[in-house]
Structure formats: structure tokens, C-alpha cells
Amino acid sequence: MSPDTKDGATIRVMTKEDYAKVKAFMKDDFYLWEPLCQFSGESVQQQNEEKNDEFHLSMIAQGTCLVAIDENNGGRLVGFVLAGAQFPEDIEQHRVEAEAMEQHTWGRTYRLLSKIEREANIFERFGISKALYSHITSVAKSMRGKGLGSRLAATLMEVGRSKGFPAMVAFCTSFFAARQKEALGMQCIHSLTYADYKDAQGRPIFTPIAPHTMARAMAIRL
């Protein structure tokens, strides 16, 4: 993929050398704004950190992750996408991993995403044997509202097509993330309302602020 530059921001494929900056960016720009983490009061990035790093680096090695660089500001990182291949057998593996996780915010989030992943079942629904999974997309606060997130998602679709993926899927916990992907042609194939996702005592496990009322599985054929 050739680098794509617009309004001073260049999007290119992420390398493992980028990961230290991406990880620092996630701490300051992703976890503080992601609806399920935002008011948790926990250091979510430190939860399951070693395995998350391993997972992220495995996706980077596939050449399916992207970074956005601000060419007008010393090459500052202003956005990224972590994405990678997903296969039918991963659904059960993720369920097992989710059930074994601790009762912290990341563990609860992973269990929620695993439930949505099983119920959406893009492989059976689309009749495919692999998909490009858009795991995390984040844009710097200073760059929001300028179309960079949409550019990252659209570029990822191009990467997916070039690598022979028949579809792309994303699990959106944010209303704005889902709306952005819908504008690019992705469809909601499954949703789960936070108010209906409860613990053993009947209490909602997540209570993010409006308009974040549900998590959605968004997908598109490539």
C-alpha cells in the first residue's frame, strides 16, 4: 500500500517500530475516551497488558495495521488502526480466553465482545472462512471531526481487498464509531443494549453515558 496524504496527515502501514508510540497514544487518546473504559476508574491499559501487546504485535506482523502521521507537526502520530485476520475457530478461543479473565474492566469488556462475536457469527452469516477484524481505531482529540477516522477505516478496507479478505468486521462500543462505519457502507449485523447486559444480581454491567447505549457488530463485504 502506498502512503496516502491529505490535509497534512499521511496514512501508511504500521510497523513494529511504531508500536511504542501507538501504545503510548492508546493510553492518552483511546482508553480515556472509549465508553466502557472512560469512567471505570481503573488503569485499563495495564490489564492483560502482556497478552494484549502480543496480540497487537501479531496483527502488525500481518501488514494489516495502519498509522496516521501529521506531516505538519514533526511527524506526530495522530491516529491508528489495529486490525488482523480472524477465522471461525477464533470465536471459541476468544470465549475460553474471556471466561478465564479477571473481573476487571478489560475482562468484562472482552467477555462482552466475545458474546457479540458469537452471536453475530460473521462466518456463518456471510458464508466465509476468514475476515479482516478491525480491532481498535483511535484518532487524536485534536484531529477529530476532520474525517481522519473515516479515512483510516476506508484505507483498511482497501488493505483487506488487496489481501483477499472477503469481508471486514468491527465491534463498536461507541455510538460515534458505529455511525462512522455505517457512513462507509458497513451494516450492523448484531447489537447488544448495555441496559440489557446484566450481572448475576440483575444489574447492568456497563452504564456509559449517552449516546453510547449499545455495542454493535458492523460488517461489510469487501
Side-chain angles (χ1 to χ4, degrees):
M1 182 195 110
S2 301
D4 168 43
T5 302
K6 182 180 178 181
D7 298 329
T10 296
I11 295 176
R12 61 167 173 78
V13 173
M14 188 187 300
T15 67
K16 65 179 181 179
E17 287 76 24
D18 292 315
Y19 187 58
K21 289 183 179 180
V22 168
K23 187 173 178 179
F25 185 96
M26 290 171 68
K27 180 181 179 181
D28 296 331
D29 283 88
F30 175 70
Y31 289 105
L32 293 180
W33 296 96
E34 194 283 322
L36 306 188
C37 301
Q38 190 173 21
F39 300 109
S40 68
E42 301 176 18
S43 298
V44 182
Q45 189 175 19
Q46 296 177 355
Q47 298 169 355
N48 208 52
E49 185 175 8
E50 185 175 338
K51 289 187 177 180
N52 284 342
D53 285 343
E54 182 181 329
F55 179 45
H56 297 161
L57 287 167
S58 74
M59 289 189 288
I60 293 170
Q62 297 173 38
T64 49
C65 302
L66 304 170
V67 290
I69 305 298
D70 186 355
E71 303 289 359
N72 297 327
N73 195 4
R76 182 173 67 99
L77 179 69
V78 290
F80 72 87
V81 179
L82 286 169
Q86 192 171 38
F87 303 95
E89 57 268 26
D90 293 331
I91 294 179
E92 175 61 14
Q93 179 183 336
H94 294 163
R95 184 194 68 79
V96 172
E97 291 173 350
E99 292 303 319
M101 283 191 183
E102 296 179 39
Q103 292 293 336
H104 47 40
T105 296
W106 184 253
R108 291 191 293 272
T109 300
Y110 199 88
R111 281 186 284 277
L112 168 70
L113 296 178
S114 174
K115 175 179 172 64
I116 294 171
E117 180 181 60
R118 294 194 305 274
E119 294 175 352
N121 198 347
I122 187 175
F123 303 106
E124 183 176 307
R125 186 182 298 263
F126 282 17
I128 57 178
S129 59
K130 68 175 182 178
L132 179 58
Y133 170 39
S134 179
H135 177 51
I136 294 177
T137 300
S138 186
V139 172
K141 184 180 179 182
S142 63
M143 295 292 286
R144 290 173 193 165
K146 300 181 179 181
L148 182 56
S150 294
R151 282 180 60 206
L152 283 164
T155 303
L156 182 62
M157 290 179 193
E158 293 176 12
V159 170
R161 292 185 187 102
S162 72
K163 291 183 174 293
F165 286 97
M168 185 173 96
V169 62
F171 304 115
C172 299
T173 56
S174 160
F175 167 82
F176 300 113
R179 185 176 66 178
Q180 172 204 84
K181 288 176 170 57
E182 185 177 36
L184 292 171
M186 298 186 75
Q187 295 182 328
C188 178
I189 60 172
H190 186 70
S191 63
L192 192 157
T193 301
Y194 295 127
D196 294 334
Y197 184 60
K198 301 177 180 180
D199 61 17
Q201 288 72 45
R203 300 170 300 195
I205 295 173
F206 295 106
T207 55
I209 59 174
H212 311 295
T213 58
M214 66 177 68
R216 299 170 176 86
M218 307 293 295
I220 188 170
R221 291 186 184 275
L222 299 177

